[in-house]
Amino acid sequence: MKIFKDKHTLQKEISKTKGISFVPTMGGLHKGHISLIKRSKKNKFKTLVSIFVNPTQFNKKKDFRSYPRSTKKDLKKLKKLKVNYLYMPTFKDIYGFKPKEKVFLDKFSKKLCGKFRKGHFEGVLNVVNRFLEIIKPRYIFLGKKDYQQLYLIKKHIEKRKIKSKIIVCKTIRENNGVALSTRNSNLNDNQIKIASNIYYYLYKLKKRIKKNYNLFNLNRIKRDLRDLGANKIDYLENYNTKNFKKVKRQSKKFNIFIAYYIKNIRLIDNI
Ligand code: AMP
């Protein structure tokens, strides 16, 4: 595995290849990231993983500083997976140039996480736009775990006619139902149990409201979630996952989107 910290050396190297399969991450690698990398390795292009904890997408400095980092362990995992390239840029390498394309931010960026994390998606799209310009990947692998992010990146790529194709990857969960997330390393056993119970509650709820939407009583659901151990619920909303129209009545194709806190740890999921 070749490791790059500088975009020019990276670009020189990848210009020799037929194309790149790109897996962007913020490190703290887990089975979710690994599934994206394994999927990428199945195609004929070389796999490039990036690790960059992007400060511009954190709305609180403290959250950026406390975001779990595990570079040594990450390197081991990536080498074992026989990843071709690892790009670990500095802040200056990413933000020290003016990109050709302007970021397109779809209006859906104002909903869900966009409402509660001011500037978050501006930061995500800004960094993704820069990565796309530096790497010009054939494919970019993104997880459904961050569905809103995935949708907004898709809209940006379409609008700006960028040639990279998104490969959508399913959410990987622990046996207890909890979606893998770098932030889970901050949870203790009891808090993981809470997250697991919340997952199963929402999983069953979805089945029930598919049959009878009148059972979607938001106040009652929020009360139940608090009883299960959620300390604060930022949002709990149903959206059609194709067009991101809000679901208000009987429907088959929707996910429950949630962001909630266990103590001060914010978790998101869509089920
Ligand atoms: P992150 O490092 O959290 O920015 O995530 C990097 C990529 O991994 C994003 O495309 C995420 O959607 C994806 N990802 C994160 N967690 C999971 C998961 N549990 N299953 C599948 N993909 C995931």
Side-chain angles (χ1 to χ4, degrees):
M1 182 173 75
K2 290 187 179 169
I3 303 173
F4 297 88
K5 290 202 177 286
D6 160 75
K7 59 179 173 293
H8 300 297
T9 349
L10 173 76
Q11 284 170 323
K12 206 169 154 197
E13 171 72 28
I14 61 179
S15 66
K16 295 183 224 152
T17 68
K18 287 199 184 75
I20 290 292
S21 271
F22 176 41
V23 185
T25 83
M26 296 209 296
L29 301 182
H30 51 64
K31 284 183 269 179
H33 297 118
I34 289 171
S35 76
L36 267 60
I37 296 169
K38 285 194 170 156
R39 181 103 189 261
S40 158
K41 283 198 57 85
K42 277 195 185 141
N43 72 40
K44 62 180 177 180
F45 301 117
K46 297 221 158 140
T47 294
L48 188 162
V49 174
S50 66
I51 296 181
F52 181 62
V53 186
N54 173 36
T56 67
Q57 72 188 66
F58 287 81
N59 49 331
K60 288 182 191 141
K61 273 215 174 93
K62 194 168 164 240
D63 189 29
F64 169 67
R65 278 199 299 266
S66 65
Y67 190 80
R69 291 158 171 87
S70 55
T71 313
K72 260 196 179 164
K73 282 188 190 157
D74 291 352
L75 281 173
K76 259 195 179 163
K77 289 179 187 164
L78 295 173
K79 277 184 193 156
K80 204 169 154 208
L81 287 163
K82 298 199 167 58
V83 162
N84 303 98
Y85 305 121
L86 169 63
Y87 180 35
M88 294 180 73
T90 58
F91 180 84
K92 196 165 162 256
D93 205 48
I94 291 293
Y95 286 103
F97 70 100
K98 189 170 181 289
K100 289 193 191 85
E101 296 293 355
K102 238 181 92 182
V103 163
F104 171 75
L105 203 60
D106 185 86
K107 61 179 187 312
F108 192 62
S109 62
K110 301 282 175 284
K111 307 275 188 201
L112 300 176
C113 281
K115 210 152 110 192
F116 292 89
R117 298 184 73 190
K118 292 276 174 260
H120 170 63
F121 288 119
E122 282 83 346
V124 170
L125 268 297
N126 190 352
V127 78
V128 169
N129 187 38
R130 287 162 187 273
F131 271 124
L132 291 174
E133 188 161 319
I134 294 168
I135 298 163
K136 298 191 174 53
R138 295 285 185 102
Y139 294 117
I140 174 166
F141 292 76
L142 300 170
K144 278 187 186 171
K145 161 76 171 42
D146 302 278
Y147 219 133
Q148 190 178 13
Q149 166 176 292
L150 167 67
Y151 180 80
L152 295 173
I153 295 174
K154 183 167 166 258
K155 290 286 159 193
H156 168 72
I157 287 182
E158 279 170 10
K159 189 82 175 176
R160 298 293 177 240
K161 299 189 172 66
I162 295 169
K163 290 205 181 78
S164 310
K165 183 174 160 30
I166 295 178
I167 309 290
V168 177
C169 302
K170 68 169 191 190
T171 300
I172 304 297
R173 297 181 182 279
E174 301 280 14
N175 291 336
N176 60 16
V178 177
L180 270 295
S181 161
T182 302
R183 291 180 190 274
N184 292 357
S185 64
N186 289 330
L187 299 172
N188 64 30
D189 289 352
N190 184 42
Q191 291 167 331
I192 288 172
K193 186 79 195 129
I194 293 172
S196 169
N197 290 340
I198 288 177
Y199 166 75
Y200 282 113
Y201 175 89
L202 294 173
Y203 177 81
K204 286 181 201 151
L205 174 73
K206 184 176 172 180
K207 281 199 163 171
R208 285 196 292 136
I209 59 178
K210 261 189 176 173
K211 289 196 189 121
N212 177 5
Y213 203 75
N214 290 331
L215 296 173
F216 192 72
N217 175 339
L218 200 53
N219 287 335
R220 163 105 206 258
I221 295 164
K222 285 189 172 173
R223 205 177 59 221
D224 288 347
L225 292 174
R226 282 194 199 99
D227 289 347
L228 286 172
N231 292 102
K232 186 165 97 102
I233 298 158
D234 272 356
Y235 59 77
L236 192 147
E237 293 177 45
N238 297 331
Y239 280 93
N240 177 308
T241 43
K242 286 267 175 296
N243 55 20
F244 270 103
K245 287 215 168 92
K246 200 158 176 176
V247 171
K248 288 184 184 137
R249 57 183 73 84
Q250 204 81 15
S251 163
K252 287 246 172 306
K253 194 89 198 109
F254 72 92
N255 275 9
I256 301 176
F257 287 75
I258 186 166
Y260 69 97
Y261 286 81
I262 301 178
K263 289 264 159 60
N264 58 349
I265 304 156
R266 188 176 188 272
L267 300 173
I268 64 167
D269 203 349
N270 64 95
I271 291 148

